[in-house]
């Protein structure tokens, strides 16, 4: 795999049981690139290690006044320099390729997992943690995978040089062969402490990133309540904790680096002193002493890779553990697409709650708990966060369909949809049936004033479709973002469209027009709207009221207002005590609490019922005015 071939057609199925297993899986999947890097690394290090031998031959030839051997030494030195240049160049190329391709593979795996889990991901893993894993952790993982082949080449070179020195000059070669392993393992006792400090630094950095992400996301609200300074102080403290942890970690790595410089120096002094002693006794020649001395000096270069691999593993191991933790997450219910990739049609039914949305009709769902409504909306789209019975579409379990097929059949729009930065044309360029055009969807979502605001805020954009939208639509109001997101959902024209509070941030006049526009545009398509707005409820073909986790009542909006007091408390914002005090025939009996209180006047219940009807008439007047 080369960089120009990215992204991978299929990044594979990772071994996410642990961090080390994930690193080993990455290494095995890049075996070809690792072998290439190893080959170029051996050429590079072998060329570097052969230079002392060439120098020693040249010095001895000069001492012996041998022109032939001096010429031979010069030729060998030129060949070693050429091998060094070629090996270093292509080793760097192969190493960078391995780094980038490993990081790209991990990022593709994370992106695929995020797409598979959907909104359930950020409920199981903090958003800041996901950002940290997909940025900093990916780089650290790629660093270790890339450094492994270079370390292997350096280790093989050191072993070969030690064997060569023992054969070339046994007296000094044994000293070097014994001293180099000691240098390599001398820092091992310090690695656990350095690793722990690196883990602490990474954890604090992750918390700081999460805090910064949450603060930026809620900056408008924080400014509204004057809390930006409070959160800024919190981030400052978190940032300082990261700095202190980084300094403590750097001190340990500085100590390791100092040992890697000190010990080779001591070995070099030992070799020189012992070599001079042997030369005085006439047991070795000057050229041999120069060769051994130069070899020890040159070997400090591949020895550095022992420090690097230790550092790379210390940083990448916790990063790989976090990445494996995200990649090991699975959907609550998933049969891996055991059915054929065919989009079913028919009624949408949830066996867990008893909710039925007839095909081709607009069904409104009222829940007393907004969080329960959000969870149910995700269940209807096949994004369940807990194990349970699958939702059925036309009698077909959504969990048995391939994921892309299930999501093309049922589209869920969250109550807080996200707008990506770019032009409006790019925002609305989504997979769609083609039956609904952008302008139709924008009209149905009542986006006329939004288009005007976008044109006014974008320099040189005469066509509203070319107007730019800032990140997450921050330059727009909450209602404007909601309407653009609704238009985007309408363009897709799915078999089933599930909307969770699509008009919670718009005014009543606009809401009335949106209700009519959505109803007209989705004619003949299944639409489920989670809402407590009387304007939307009154336009629905069917209203389903959920009490707790089960369907409590089904009917029309006005019928349920008259007959179901629990529904009435949710829609009209009346308390249960006020409904009980009404004393109407739909009071205690509807609540299942026995006979009516004789002390409660029946006339009061009639008045309260009339009050509700008056409110409905007022809403109708608003619609007519709109």
């Amino acid at each position: 795999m080369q960089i120009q071939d990215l992204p991978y057609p299929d990044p594979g199925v990772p071994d996410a049981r642990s961090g080390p297993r994930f690193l080993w899986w990455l290494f095995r999947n890049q075996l070809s690139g690792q072998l290439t890097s190893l080959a170029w690394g051996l050429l590079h290090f072998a060329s570097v290690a052969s230079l002392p031998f060439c120098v020693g031959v040249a010095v001895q030839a000069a001492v012996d006044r041998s022109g032939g051997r001096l010429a031979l030494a010069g030729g060998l030195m030129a060949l070693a320099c050429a091998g060094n240049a070629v090996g270093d160049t292509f080793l760097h190329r192969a190493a960078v390729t391995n780094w980038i391709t490993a990081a790209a593979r991990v990022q593709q795996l994370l992106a695929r997992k995020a797409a598979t889990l959907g909104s359930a991901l950020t409920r199981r893993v903090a958003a800041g943690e996901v950002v940290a894993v997909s940025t900093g952790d990916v780089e650290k993982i790629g660093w270790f995978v890339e450094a492994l082949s270079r370390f292997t080449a350096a280790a093989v070179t050191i072993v070969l040089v030690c064997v060569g020195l023992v054969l070339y000059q046994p007296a000094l070669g044994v000293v070097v062969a014994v001293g180099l392993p000691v240098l390599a393992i001398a820092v091992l006792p310090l690695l656990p402490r350095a690793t722990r400090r690196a883990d602490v630094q990474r954890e604090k950095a992750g918390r700081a990133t999460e805090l910064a992400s949450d603060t930026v996301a809620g900056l408008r609200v924080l400014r509204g309540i004057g809390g930006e300074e409070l959160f800024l102080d919190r981030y400052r403290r978190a940032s300082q904790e990261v700095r202190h942890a980084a300094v403590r970690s750097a001190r340990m790595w500085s100590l390791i680096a100092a040992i890697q410089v000190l010990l080779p120096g001591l070995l070099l002094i030992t070799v020189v002193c012992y070599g001079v002693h042997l030369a005085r006794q006439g047991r070795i020649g000057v050229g041999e002493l120069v060769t051994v001395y130069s070899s020890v000096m040159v070997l400090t270069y591949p020895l550095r890779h022992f420090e690097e691999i230790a550092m790379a593993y210390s940083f990448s191991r916790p990063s790989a553990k976090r990445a494996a933790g995200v990649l090991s997450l699975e959907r609550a219910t998933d049969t891996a697409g055991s059915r054929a990739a065919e989009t079913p049609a028919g009624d949408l039914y949830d066996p867990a709650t008893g909710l039925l949305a007839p095909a081709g009709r607009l069904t409104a769902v009222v829940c007393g708990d907004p969080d329960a409504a959000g969870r149910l909306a995700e269940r209807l789209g096949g994004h369940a966060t807990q194990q349970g019975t699958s939702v059925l579409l036309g009698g077909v379990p959504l969990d048995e369909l391939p994921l892309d097929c299930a999501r093309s059949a049922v589209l869920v729009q969250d109550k807080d949809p996200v707008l990506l930065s770019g032009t409006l044309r790019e925002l609305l360029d989504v997979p769609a049936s083609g039956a609904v055009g952008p302008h139709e969807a924008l009209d149905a979502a009542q986006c006329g004033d939004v288009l005007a605001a976008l044109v006014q805020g974008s320099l040189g954009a005469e066509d509203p479709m070319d107007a730019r939208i800032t990140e997450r639509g921050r330059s727009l109001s909450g209602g404007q973002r909601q309407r653009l997101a609704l238009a985007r959902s309408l363009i897709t024209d799915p078999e089933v469209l599930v909307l969770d509070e699509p008009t919670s941030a718009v005014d009543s006049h606009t809401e009335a027009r949106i209700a009519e526009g959505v109803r007209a545009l989705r004619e003949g398509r299944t639409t489920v709207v989670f809402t407590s707005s009387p304007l939307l409820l009154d336009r629905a073909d069917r209203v389903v009221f959920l009490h707790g986790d089960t369907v409590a009542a089904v009917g029309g909006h006005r019928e349920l207002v008259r007959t179901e007091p629990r529904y009435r408390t949710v829609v009209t914002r009346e308390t249960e005590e006020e409904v009980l005090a009404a004393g109407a025939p739909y009071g205690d009996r509807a609540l299942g609490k026995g006979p009516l209180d004789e002390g409660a006047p029946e006339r009061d219940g009639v008045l309260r019922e009339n009050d509700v009807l008056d409110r409905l008439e007022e809403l109708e007047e608003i619609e007519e005015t709109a």
Side-chain angles (χ1 to χ4, degrees):
M1 172 63 70
Q2 298 297 318
I3 296 177
Q4 61 265 25
D5 298 326
L6 294 174
Y8 287 94
D10 180 11
V13 180
D15 186 349
R17 289 176 290 177
S18 66
R21 287 178 182 271
F22 180 59
L23 291 174
W24 175 242
W25 178 84
L26 279 175
F27 179 81
R28 287 189 292 106
N29 278 267
Q30 289 192 298
L31 192 57
S32 175
Q34 295 294 336
L35 292 176
T36 301
S37 179
L38 176 61
W40 291 118
L42 287 173
L43 175 61
H44 169 57
F45 289 120
S47 300
V48 172
S50 64
L51 288 174
F53 174 75
C54 298
V55 172
V57 172
V59 171
Q60 192 63 44
V63 172
D64 297 339
R65 299 181 181 278
S66 174
R69 281 189 294 162
L70 186 61
L72 176 62
L76 292 176
M77 188 173 295
L79 184 62
C81 290
N84 180 23
V86 173
D88 190 24
T89 300
F90 285 93
L91 171 61
H92 180 73
R93 178 186 178 91
V96 171
T97 300
N98 288 337
W99 189 336
I100 293 177
T101 51
R105 186 188 293 273
V106 177
Q107 285 181 327
Q108 280 188 249
L109 291 171
L110 292 170
R112 186 176 67 181
K113 181 60 65 175
T116 301
L117 294 176
S119 58
L121 175 61
T122 52
R123 282 196 299 273
R124 301 169 71 176
V125 182
E129 184 71 7
V130 175
V131 172
V133 170
S134 59
T135 52
D137 285 339
V138 165
E139 292 186 5
K140 293 180 177 65
I141 293 171
W143 176 26
F144 174 74
V145 173
E146 171 270 322
L148 195 56
S149 57
R150 289 191 292 111
F151 162 73
T152 304
V156 171
T157 301
I158 290 175
V159 171
L160 293 177
V161 170
C162 288
V163 172
L165 288 177
V166 171
L167 297 176
Y168 177 70
Q169 178 45 250
L172 286 177
V174 171
V175 175
V176 176
V178 173
L180 285 177
V182 174
L183 298 183
I185 65 175
V187 298
L188 291 182
L190 299 176
L191 289 180
R193 182 178 296 181
T195 301
R196 287 194 297 270
R197 292 190 179 185
D199 290 348
V200 171
Q201 176 192 352
R202 173 59 186 78
E203 291 174 3
K204 292 184 178 296
R207 288 197 293 268
T209 302
E210 181 181 349
L211 179 60
S213 176
D214 293 343
T215 303
V216 171
L219 190 57
R220 177 174 295 183
V221 177
L222 292 175
R223 285 177 174 172
I225 62 176
E228 64 269 25
E229 287 299 328
L230 173 63
F231 276 79
L232 184 59
D233 289 339
R234 290 183 182 178
Y235 180 74
R236 285 197 187 102
R237 289 195 296 270
S239 178
Q240 290 303 310
E241 290 179 2
V242 174
R243 184 178 66 84
H244 291 311
V247 170
R248 294 186 72 248
S249 179
R251 287 173 180 168
M252 185 57 64
W253 289 111
S254 298
L255 178 60
I256 293 175
I259 292 175
Q260 290 288 314
V261 173
L262 175 63
L263 294 184
L266 295 177
L267 177 61
L268 186 61
I269 293 173
T270 302
V271 169
V272 170
C273 293
Y274 186 53
V276 170
H277 173 70
L278 294 177
R280 285 179 176 178
Q281 294 179 349
R283 296 169 58 184
I284 65 171
V286 176
E288 293 174 328
L289 177 59
V290 171
T291 299
V292 176
Y293 169 78
S294 302
S295 297
V296 175
M297 287 194 63
V298 170
L299 285 179
T300 58
Y301 169 57
L303 272 175
R304 284 285 182 178
H305 289 75
F306 284 78
E307 175 194 348
E308 181 185 4
I309 196 65
M311 184 180 294
Y313 181 73
S314 298
F315 279 98
S316 66
R317 186 182 60 82
S319 296
K321 180 181 178 181
R322 281 183 289 270
V326 175
L327 295 175
S328 63
L329 299 176
E330 298 292 342
R331 297 178 67 210
T333 54
D334 194 354
T335 57
S338 57
R339 287 181 178 265
E342 297 180 358
T343 303
D347 297 342
L348 183 68
Y349 176 66
D350 178 27
T353 60
L355 172 64
L356 174 66
R361 302 182 67 185
L362 174 60
T363 301
V365 182
V366 178
C367 296
D369 182 4
D371 293 333
R375 291 192 296 269
L376 178 55
E378 291 175 349
R379 275 183 52 78
L380 295 180
H383 309 292
T385 57
Q386 298 177 350
Q387 292 287 347
T389 307
S390 173
V391 172
L392 306 178
L393 178 59
V396 177
L398 285 180
D399 293 335
E400 296 182 5
L401 293 172
L403 188 59
D404 56 348
C405 184
R407 289 185 173 174
S408 64
V410 182
L411 173 65
V412 179
Q413 177 179 303
D414 296 335
K415 66 176 62 178
D416 186 21
V418 175
L419 302 182
L420 302 179
S421 59
T423 64
L424 180 59
R425 193 185 310 278
E426 293 170 341
L427 174 69
L428 301 181
D429 184 17
V430 293
S433 66
V436 179
H439 295 291
E440 296 175 87
L442 291 169
D443 289 342
Q446 301 300 309
C447 294
D449 63 317
V450 183
L451 300 181
L454 287 174
V455 171
Q456 185 178 4
S458 299
L459 297 176
E462 298 180 0
D463 187 348
M465 300 298 289
D466 295 327
R468 295 200 63 81
I469 299 174
T470 57
E471 179 190 4
R472 300 178 68 92
R474 298 189 189 281
S475 60
L476 302 173
S477 67
Q480 291 173 329
R481 289 196 298 270
Q482 269 192 341
R483 283 177 280 166
L484 284 180
L486 176 59
R488 180 178 58 187
S489 299
L490 293 174
I491 288 175
T492 61
D493 190 36
E495 184 68 26
V496 178
L497 177 60
V498 180
L499 304 172
D500 188 5
E501 294 289 354
T503 59
S504 60
V506 301
D507 60 83
S508 299
H509 291 81
T510 305
E511 188 176 28
R513 293 193 294 266
I514 290 176
E516 289 295 339
V518 171
R519 180 182 176 88
L521 197 62
R522 294 287 299 172
E523 185 70 30
R525 290 288 203 180
T526 307
T527 307
V528 181
V529 181
F530 286 82
T531 183
S532 60
S533 167
L535 284 170
L536 291 177
L537 295 170
D538 201 37
R539 290 294 179 269
D541 298 318
R542 193 168 185 263
V543 178
V544 179
F545 173 61
L546 272 77
H547 183 69
D549 293 327
T550 57
V551 173
V554 179
H557 170 57
R558 302 189 183 206
E559 173 190 356
L560 292 177
V561 167
R562 294 188 178 94
T563 61
E564 178 52 68
R566 291 170 297 184
Y567 174 85
R568 178 179 169 185
T569 60
V570 176
V571 174
T572 64
R573 305 298 191 272
E574 291 180 335
T575 64
E576 187 173 320
E577 290 74 12
E578 289 175 330
V579 174
L580 290 173
Y586 50 80
D588 288 345
R589 287 196 298 271
L591 289 171
K593 295 185 178 180
L596 293 171
D597 183 2
E598 296 180 358
E602 185 175 354
R603 176 174 173 76
D604 185 54
V606 175
L607 288 175
R608 288 184 176 273
E609 180 178 353
N610 290 336
D611 288 343
V612 175
L613 295 177
D614 289 343
R615 294 182 187 178
L616 293 175
E617 291 176 359
E618 291 176 3
L619 293 176
E620 290 177 351
E621 293 177 0
I622 291 176
E623 297 170 20
E624 293 175 358
T625 304

